[in-house]
Amino acid sequence: MATTRLTQARIKALRPRKTVRDIRDADLRGFGVRLYPTGRKCFFVHSQHEGRRVWKIVGDAASLSVEDARIRARSMLAADRNGVHASSERILFEEVAEEVFRRYGRNWKPDTLRVNRGYFANQILPWFRGRPIAGVTTADVRAWFTSLHGTPVAADRSAPVLSVIMAQAETYGYRPEGSNPCKAIRRYRRKGRERFLSTEEVRKLGEALSHHDENAWMHASIIRLLLLTGCRTSEIVTLRWREYRDGHLHLEDSKAGPRMVWLCTSARAILDLQPRTSCWVFPSTWTSKSVSMSSVGGFWRNLRSEAGLQDVRLHDLRHTFASIAIMTGENVLTVGRLLGHNDPGTTLKYSHITSDAAVEAARAMGPVLAGVTP
């Protein structure tokens, strides 16, 4: 094992090899830096305790300076000599989780952060509270996941949150690299909730919409655009006029990030009929913001009852858009681009799809959904 006086420059100059490499510090016995084949570098301490060797992570070299790491390592080594176990092995799960939400949470949108905190508080924390983060095993995670079998949706949505916490615990130096205990967890198989409207059901919906063109024209326009664009409800409800240009939507903050939505003639006709009295395409009557999601949801519940479609959700209009696109001959890749999917593997497949193909697919939606346009 190599020994040298560790400095910031020397650590930065270290280059990965095919195997893990440890470099000991010449100034502080038991302190060193570990270099992984992936290029990751973490500080560690190595000592003897009660007749056994103890190896502990001090912190990640990417976020901790060598001087700060040496100070922390000196305290950890002293604690081991005195029989005190206040090291990274004893750092509690909830402490690391809060650090993850504080540091990594900025990568999530506000609504996603709020939902993830909810799953953490209700499904994750009660099970793992008080456990050392370094001691959580795959068996522990499997037992937790099994305990949630009665609420499979909550289990499936909580698992990625726990996985992020464990992955970041590795990044922050609280767990060894590659030790994420969530990797082997397989989600519950649930009956698909996708609901697709038939041509007859689209016709019924169109008839119901026509009865609201005067008393609720704004909400009726929103529903029509959801059918004609395949957009998420929030993308249409919060649409700004500056995002509608050159005959298409240029969404600045969709779930998948900024993206363009190609519009058919029928969709453009709906937008062109909206009065421009606000920065919002669909402004609220009572506030300076856009019309509320709750009011659209209330309108939809009444509308679907009128059309005899009580089991249809707003999100099912997005599924319907996709099914009609496929039925009219569009391939899955083009439909994926129209919907703005954000799966990395799917996005890679989209790379060779041209904008013209997406435009032609969007144009094909209008004639099929003509029955629900003004």
Side-chain angles (χ1 to χ4, degrees), residues 1-2 4 6 10-12 14-17 19-25 30-47 53-62 66 69 170-171 173 175-179:
M1 185 181 299
T4 186
L6 293 178
R10 285 176 178 169
I11 292 173
K12 185 178 180 180
L14 291 174
R15 294 293 178 263
R17 298 179 180 178
T19 58
V20 174
R21 181 186 176 197
D22 289 343
I23 299 92
R24 296 291 188 103
D25 184 32
F31 171 60
V33 64
R34 172 164 288 188
L35 177 61
Y36 292 90
T38 59
R40 181 195 172 197
K41 304 166 188 176
C42 71
F43 296 110
F44 69 87
V45 290
H46 188 260
S47 62
R53 294 181 179 180
V54 178
W55 188 89
K56 299 172 183 175
I57 295 175
V58 176
D60 196 284
V66 65
E170 295 180 25
T171 299
R175 291 179 62 92
E177 186 177 70
S179 66

Side-chain angles (χ1 to χ4, degrees), residues 218 237-238 277-295:
M218 185 184 299
V237 169
T238 62
T277 58
S278 165
C279 65
W280 307 99
V281 176
F282 302 108
S284 169
T285 306
W286 312 106
T287 70
S288 59
K289 298 182 179 180
S290 64
V291 64
S292 68
M293 291 281 288
S294 60
S295 69

Side-chain angles (χ1 to χ4, degrees), residues 91-102:
I91 295 177
L92 299 181
F93 170 83
E94 56 267 31
E95 296 173 351
V96 177
E98 279 305 315
E99 182 178 352
V100 171
F101 277 109
R102 186 177 67 254

Side-chain angles (χ1 to χ4, degrees), residues 112-299:
T112 303
L113 178 60
R114 176 181 54 80
V115 170
N116 288 349
R117 274 199 172 275
Y119 283 121
F120 172 74
N122 297 320
Q123 275 76 35
I124 300 174
L125 186 58
W127 185 275
F128 294 100
R129 180 189 282 115
R131 302 191 187 194
I133 187 71
V136 177
T137 65
T138 299
D140 294 329
V141 174
R142 282 176 175 162
W144 162 76
F145 198 66
T146 301
S147 74
L148 297 175
H149 69 277
T151 54
V153 174
D156 286 350
R157 293 183 178 175
S158 300
V161 179
L162 179 59
S163 184
V164 167
I165 292 172
M166 290 302 177
Q168 291 305 117
E170 295 180 25
T171 299
Y172 302 157
Y174 300 122
R175 291 179 62 92
E177 186 177 70
S179 66
N180 190 337
C182 300
K183 289 181 178 179
I185 301 303
R186 300 185 65 178
R187 297 188 183 187
Y188 289 102
R189 290 186 176 180
R190 306 190 307 273
K191 184 179 179 180
R193 295 183 61 193
E194 287 79 4
R195 172 73 160 82
F196 308 95
L197 274 68
S198 65
T199 302
E200 176 62 20
E201 288 174 327
V202 171
R203 185 190 63 77
K204 290 181 179 179
L205 184 60
E207 290 181 355
L209 280 168
S210 66
H211 298 153
H212 296 278
D213 283 336
E214 293 186 6
N215 67 328
W217 58 270
M218 185 184 299
H219 291 81
S221 295
I222 290 173
I223 301 303
R224 289 188 172 107
L225 282 176
L226 291 177
L227 268 170
L228 289 165
T229 64
C231 283
R232 299 173 178 88
T233 305
S234 60
E235 294 171 343
I236 295 299
V237 169
T238 62
L239 186 64
R240 297 173 184 264
W241 281 115
R242 70 185 184 214
E243 296 176 298
Y244 175 46
R245 58 184 185 272
D246 302 324
H248 304 299
L249 302 183
H250 300 262
L251 302 181
E252 299 172 358
D253 190 30
S254 72
K255 182 178 180 180
R259 73 181 182 96
M260 178 186 289
V261 178
W262 289 268
L263 299 179
C264 62
T265 302
S266 300
R268 289 197 294 270
I270 293 172
L271 288 170
D272 292 339
L273 286 174
Q274 307 305 310
R276 300 201 178 203
T277 58
S278 165
C279 65
W280 307 99
V281 176
F282 302 108
S284 169
T285 306
W286 312 106
T287 70
S288 59
K289 298 182 179 180
S290 64
V291 64
S292 68
M293 291 281 288
S294 60
S295 69
V296 175
F299 174 78

